[in-house]
Amino acid sequence: NFGGAVIDLKYRRKSDKNKNSVPKGFICELSYQIGGTPPTDPEAVGMKSVTSSKTHFQLKAGVPNLGKTLYGYGRWKHKINSAFDSPWTNIMQITIA
């Protein structure tokens, strides 16, 4: 949480322990939902998606969502061929502050 309903996101490969990194040819993707019951599928109807070429970016959740839970899944998305997209992470959650 960054405060002001902003979620600070950082993507990193396990092999790059102390720095953010993105594999060549990929971007970062977040599939998320605000509030409700935890989603069981990152590609379910109603999920929103955001991508970034940067490994450190911010998601503005909106002040009306303060106190709600943001549920999300992350992955590496290939810029050209979706066959190379990584698997989704396990579900993550954070209370929007």
Side-chain angles (χ1 to χ4, degrees):
N1 265 318
F2 212 60
V6 175
I7 307 298
D8 197 47
L9 298 154
K10 294 180 182 179
Y11 280 61
R12 180 181 340 197
R13 295 183 291 185
K14 288 181 182 180
S15 61
D16 297 324
K17 296 178 183 173
N18 297 321
K19 65 178 183 173
N20 300 336
S21 57
V22 61
K24 187 176 180 177
F26 288 81
I27 57 175
C28 305
E29 181 177 21
L30 174 71
S31 177
Y32 70 97
Q33 168 189 303
I34 297 174
T37 58
T40 57
D41 182 355
E43 297 172 352
V45 174
M47 295 291 284
K48 295 181 180 178
S49 181
V50 62
T51 60
S52 176
S53 60
K54 307 264 185 196
T55 58
H56 184 191
F57 62 100
Q58 296 175 348
L59 174 69
K60 295 177 182 176
V63 173
N65 292 314
L66 287 172
K68 293 181 182 178
T69 302
L70 182 138
Y71 301 99
Y73 299 87
R75 72 173 174 181
W76 300 117
K77 182 169 182 63
H78 195 267
K79 291 179 181 179
I80 298 169
N81 188 343
S82 63
F84 296 122
D85 293 351
S86 76
W88 290 101
T89 63
N90 292 330
I91 192 168
M92 300 171 279
Q93 68 182 58
I94 189 168
T95 301
I96 299 167

